[in-house]
Amino acid sequence: MSAEPPTDCDDVSAHLVALVGLPEMGPARLRALLNGRGPVEAWRGVCRGWVPPGLASMLGRRRESVVDGWREAARSTRVEDRLAAVVEAGQAVVHHGGPGYPPALLDDLDPPVVLFTAGGGGLPWGVRPSVAVVGTRRCTAYGRGVALELGRDLAAEGVEVVSGLAAGIDAAAHLGALEAVDGAPPTAVVGTGLDVVYPASNRRLWRRVAERGRILGEMPPGSGPTRWCFPARNRIVAGLADVLVVVESHAEGGSLHTVSAALERDRPVLAVPGPIRSPASMGCNRLLADGAVPACGVADVLDALSLVVPAGPGDGPEVGPTPKHGPSGDARTVLDALGWDPLGIDALAARTGLPPVALVAAVAELKALGLVEETRGHLERRGEGEPWDRR
């Protein structure tokens, strides 16, 4: 078969699907391959056994074997067939900057080049607030119950529940979201191909989430679990969420990777307090000690979203900014430290002495109140003085 793709096959999605499906191709390698060139040009380079210097350096000693493997696979691949197979499997393909790509990820620190999606039924992005509920696979009955309640109550309030469809806390949060009658549809981000259910015990849950909400991931069909795919998935979970809630996490739990990704993206992080003798709560309790906001119920999460809880059983959910007389303690500390000159986050941390979790939560609160804006990586105070300052 010809090493060059047909001249009339210039569809961006088709070439991206073909590229991401090459053996040993991952998100970082794909970005390096596409740096400064389009998918069609990159595919033609792969067919000729050529890779850009940046990618060659990334591959190191394995360059020759990996590039040879790509070239051989590309020469036996019809680009249009790869895309057709994805569509026949009931999946859609969206790419960065293209139609249907999640707006929250467009300016992400590490945006996925291509995403595979299933379900959704045309659900638009960004019309609802979103909360990521994450935690350990080795959860306790306490953690599972809390995650289910949070998922159910958040969905009932019109909040999109985002999680990773893993066993444990993730699954419980999605089960809760599905329990909410007429609640917001859930979103699941997975680290495998959408046709590879992992863990297999979640097969029915995957189907229910796809029917009611949507599932997405950056791995092509047929991709099984790998060690690096879950941390890569976690950055997407953090990027899609307005707020992150950790229900249970061990001291070195994978959920803490999602916390790091959320903090890098200035997302508020909340943690559910747990028993001090429970290993499953050690990570959450440490987050709380470091300044994370406690999540003791749905009201705390809605407050972080600047939403309010319905006044009573007969009232519909009121969604909108929460009236506040002024910033909370940490947020006021940040505001006072900021003064009236633009300041970077590192300098602000040095001035306030606040732990990273508390600092990010305080900055998010100030942004929600309209008191601070961020421009080119610097925070700047807005307004000429606040009413609570006036005597």
Side-chain angles (χ1 to χ4, degrees), residues 277-290:
R277 292 184 176 86
S278 171
S281 288
M282 289 184 66
C284 282
N285 290 338
R286 176 51 56 191
L287 288 173
L288 293 168
D290 288 342

Side-chain angles (χ1 to χ4, degrees), residues 12-13 26 85 87 121 123 184-185 191 213 263 331 358 372:
V12 171
S13 295
V87 175
L123 289 173
L263 293 176
V372 166

Side-chain angles (χ1 to χ4, degrees), residues 137 164 166 190-192 198 225-235:
R137 292 172 171 84
V190 299
T192 61
Y198 183 83
T226 60
R227 178 175 297 180
W228 58 264
C229 68
F230 296 110
R233 173 205 61 187
N234 292 346
R235 84 188 195 284

Side-chain angles (χ1 to χ4, degrees), residues 93 101 109 122 155 167 203 251 260 347-348 354 389:
V93 181
Y101 191 87
L109 300 174
R203 185 173 301 278
S260 297
L348 193 57
L354 290 172
D389 282 336

Side-chain angles (χ1 to χ4, degrees), residues 176-227:
L178 292 170
E179 280 189 5
V181 179
D182 297 326
T187 291
V189 185
V190 299
T192 61
L194 304 192
D195 58 337
V196 180
V197 178
Y198 183 83
S201 58
N202 275 352
R203 185 173 301 278
R204 183 169 181 269
L205 180 58
W206 279 50
R207 184 173 65 252
R208 292 182 63 197
V209 170
E211 290 171 351
R212 173 86 170 269
R214 58 186 155 209
I215 302 177
L216 68 146
E218 59 185 334
M219 301 301 295
S223 300
T226 60
R227 178 175 297 180

Side-chain angles (χ1 to χ4, degrees), residues 117-249:
T117 68
L123 289 173
W125 289 103
V127 298
R128 296 181 177 87
S130 58
V131 170
V133 180
V134 301
T136 179
R137 292 172 171 84
R138 297 172 289 151
C139 65
T140 66
Y142 161 77
R144 187 179 298 108
V146 171
L148 190 144
E149 290 175 11
L150 284 176
R152 181 193 62 211
D153 295 347
L154 286 168
E157 291 290 339
V159 176
E160 181 180 335
V161 176
V162 182
S163 201
L165 257 184
I169 296 300
D170 290 21
H174 276 134
L175 284 169
L178 292 170
E179 280 189 5
V181 179
D182 297 326
T187 291
V189 185
V190 299
T192 61
L194 304 192
D195 58 337
V196 180
V197 178
Y198 183 83
S201 58
N202 275 352
R203 185 173 301 278
R204 183 169 181 269
L205 180 58
W206 279 50
R207 184 173 65 252
R208 292 182 63 197
V209 170
E211 290 171 351
R212 173 86 170 269
R214 58 186 155 209
I215 302 177
L216 68 146
E218 59 185 334
M219 301 301 295
S223 300
T226 60
R227 178 175 297 180
W228 58 264
C229 68
F230 296 110
R233 173 205 61 187
N234 292 346
R235 84 188 195 284
I236 302 177
V237 171
L240 289 175
D242 297 312
V243 169
L244 174 69
V245 180
V246 186
V247 176
E248 277 189 326
S249 172

Side-chain angles (χ1 to χ4, degrees), residues 1-93:
M1 186 170 291
S2 172
E4 295 288 340
T7 56
D8 61 346
C9 185
D10 59 354
D11 181 81
V12 171
S13 295
H15 282 85
L16 284 174
V17 171
L19 285 168
V20 77
L22 292 173
E24 299 188 69
M25 179 67 76
R29 291 177 177 179
L30 181 61
R31 283 191 299 274
L33 182 62
L34 293 171
N35 186 23
R37 61 194 59 80
V40 176
E41 180 185 355
W43 179 257
R44 288 174 173 159
V46 166
C47 290
R48 294 193 300 270
W50 176 87
V51 295
L55 177 56
S57 176
M58 180 185 297
L59 294 174
R61 296 178 178 177
R62 301 203 60 239
R63 171 187 173 182
E64 185 175 347
S65 63
V66 171
V67 172
D68 285 348
W70 287 351
R71 182 175 62 246
E72 292 305 313
R75 286 178 170 177
S76 61
T77 296
R78 284 179 54 86
V79 171
E80 57 270 39
D81 290 348
R82 287 294 181 92
L83 179 60
V86 172
V87 175
E88 288 173 6
Q91 301 176 26
V93 181

